[in-house]
Amino acid sequence: FFFFFFFFFFFFFFFLIMSCLDKDYFISLEKKLIKTTHFSEVYELIDPTNETKYCLKSVSKSAPKPHSAQKELKIMKLLDEKKHKNIIQLLSSWETLDDIHLIMPFEKETLAEILIPYWKPVIKKKNKTYLSALLHTSDPIDNSDKITEQDFFINTTPKELILKITSDLFEGMSYLAQQGIIHRDLKLDNILYSPIEKNFIIIDFGISCFVVESNVDDDDDEQNFQSDDGITDIATGYYKPIEALLGIKKYDTKVDVWSGMVLLQQLSLEFICCYNIPVSCYHEAFQETQKNCDNTFVDVKKWIDSICKKNLDKSEYELKYDHNTIKDYNFPSMISDGRVYFDDVLCEGSDIKLLSSIHSIFGCPLQIQFPSAKGINSWLYFFNNLDNPSEKYFLDDLEKKYFIKKLLFNKFNDNDEFIEKCLLKMCLFEFKDRISYKECLDVFNQSYLLTNKE
């Protein structure tokens, strides 16, 4: 009995002292502010003795929902019990009066920063020579009032990199879902790369939540789950899932699948126009391009040329992307929330413009295909038009479905099975019918890894 208490108190005080030393060690390190938000600050910590770097995130305890420092700490502790190679580790944590402080490994680059160099202008602007500057001459194409090739970026991301990102994304998000966690803010900036581990790592659980068992109908044999708070003010910009846009509170981990689909179309998008031209322009040009071509191959240059032949006036469209370079905070996406430049300032988009963009690409389902939207009058009247939508749902329109494959997911065009069985099922409006990340991972492994072995 005496021995039991002796060892109990010995180990209790040992771990208490070690945790204090741990905290004191990190507090003593040099720190450099690298990011600040309304409710948190992120620092780079440097140990001058060995140049080891850590990341310190200090989160306010009083941040409004969906932000929760307490829940973020709880989730990270849970995830750290069984570490996963694609999830950020929690090295240490402590609380002060107003904040919770989290220590994590420091990784320098976000996925957005890694991908930006692969987006290149179709026509690179020439630097003015000394003589041309004196004569005030410039490339005549710069003065065009029509949309031309100089107004397009193309995506040159290597296929191997796209597959690595896709695999790591599916593995990490599948693990989160298995732990009953909804990330709710999946985006390029919340994925880091570890050059040591050679893995992509999912970070930032600031607005994440748990899934809980929901009330089920008596005639429903399935066990249903939903978020533990039902908050719909989640995700960032165009990553926001359609159920959140429509105020559907009883969602589950499938909201992360929609955000992942948006991220994957950013990876796989072949090109983008700097101006906010409608999806119909891409569609009409695509049809022209494919008239006399093999349907299995898409000539991106011809597609761009076909758009340029429409002689679209720049003055009729807002500037969507800076001609000089792609920015990490405004990464190319065909699914758009309407953010545009005005007087060289990027103006924020809106939920209604995002909804319009989603429907212009995917069409609109019938009520039976989207039962979760039942009773949402704004959607029923504005988009669904009481089951008489102006644009057919992509599941009911083979031409639209094929166009989506080539517009959003053409980098995967060597594997139609993966697009059909995974990517298109990530696009479903009804989240209960949407594919899960575990299923995504299974399809990916069957479609790519097994194929490669053969």
Side-chain angles (χ1 to χ4, degrees), residues 233-438:
D233 183 18
I234 60 173
T236 302
Y238 40 66
Y239 296 96
K240 194 168 188 177
I242 191 163
E243 51 267 46
L245 288 167
L246 296 176
I248 298 169
K249 296 183 178 181
K250 293 187 176 182
Y251 58 80
D252 58 19
T253 56
K254 302 285 186 68
V255 296
D256 288 336
V257 174
W258 181 278
S259 299
M261 177 274 292
V262 176
L263 189 152
L264 288 174
Q265 64 90 29
Q266 291 181 294
L267 282 181
S268 184
L269 197 62
E270 290 280 10
F271 70 99
I272 198 82
C273 181
C274 293
Y275 289 89
N276 197 23
I277 61 174
V279 172
S280 59
C281 286
Y282 290 92
H283 195 182
E284 291 166 8
F286 174 74
Q287 290 174 318
E288 289 293 324
T289 305
Q290 293 301 105
K291 276 183 180 178
N292 301 312
C293 295
D294 178 3
N295 284 339
T296 61
F297 174 74
V298 175
D299 189 323
V300 174
K301 187 179 186 309
K302 286 184 178 179
W303 196 346
I304 293 173
D305 288 342
S306 185
I307 295 175
C308 295
K309 287 177 183 177
K310 291 179 174 295
N311 290 319
L312 302 173
D313 287 321
K314 292 179 181 178
S315 60
E316 294 182 10
Y317 304 100
E318 297 162 306
L319 185 64
K320 190 176 177 182
Y321 301 106
D322 188 330
H323 280 82
N324 296 316
T325 183
I326 294 295
K327 306 290 196 304
D328 60 344
Y329 53 80
N330 190 31
F331 200 89
S333 175
M334 194 59 65
I335 299 170
S336 171
D337 59 1
R339 62 184 71 175
V340 292
Y341 281 95
F342 183 75
D343 288 342
D344 296 327
V345 176
L346 184 64
C347 302
E348 291 185 5
S350 67
D351 285 356
I352 189 64
K353 288 184 177 179
L354 177 55
L355 266 174
S356 296
S357 172
I358 290 169
H359 282 83
S360 70
I361 295 171
F362 299 104
C364 185
L366 301 176
Q367 295 179 56
I368 194 172
Q369 296 170 310
F370 194 15
S372 292
K374 181 181 178 182
I376 300 175
N377 290 331
S378 59
W379 178 77
L380 288 172
Y381 287 97
F382 194 68
F383 294 104
N384 176 267
N385 196 27
L386 298 178
D387 271 355
N388 187 29
S390 58
E391 290 281 345
K392 273 188 178 182
Y393 196 35
F394 74 96
L395 290 183
D396 305 321
D397 188 333
L398 290 179
E399 184 182 323
K400 186 186 291 289
K401 187 177 178 181
Y402 179 69
F403 170 64
I404 289 171
K405 287 182 180 182
K406 301 305 178 185
L407 180 70
L408 303 187
F409 305 121
N410 200 49
K411 291 289 187 185
F412 295 99
N413 65 1
D414 63 335
N415 200 317
D416 193 64
E417 179 187 24
F418 176 65
I419 297 176
E420 284 278 352
K421 292 185 177 180
C422 178
L423 297 178
L424 290 181
K425 289 186 177 181
M426 296 176 78
C427 304
L428 297 179
F429 281 34
E430 178 55 51
F431 71 89
K432 293 177 183 176
D433 297 334
R434 209 173 288 155
I435 192 171
S436 70
Y437 272 117
K438 175 64 171 62

Side-chain angles (χ1 to χ4, degrees), residues 13-24 92-94:
F13 284 110
F14 173 78
F15 284 114
L16 184 64
I17 293 169
M18 287 301 293
S19 64
C20 290
L21 286 174
D22 201 29
K23 169 187 168 183
D24 292 338
S92 182
S93 64
W94 66 89

Side-chain angles (χ1 to χ4, degrees), residues 144-158:
S144 173
D145 58 357
K146 305 292 184 181
I147 290 177
T148 64
E149 284 184 319
Q150 70 161 356
D151 300 309
F152 288 86
F153 280 92
I154 55 171
N155 180 8
T156 65
T157 307

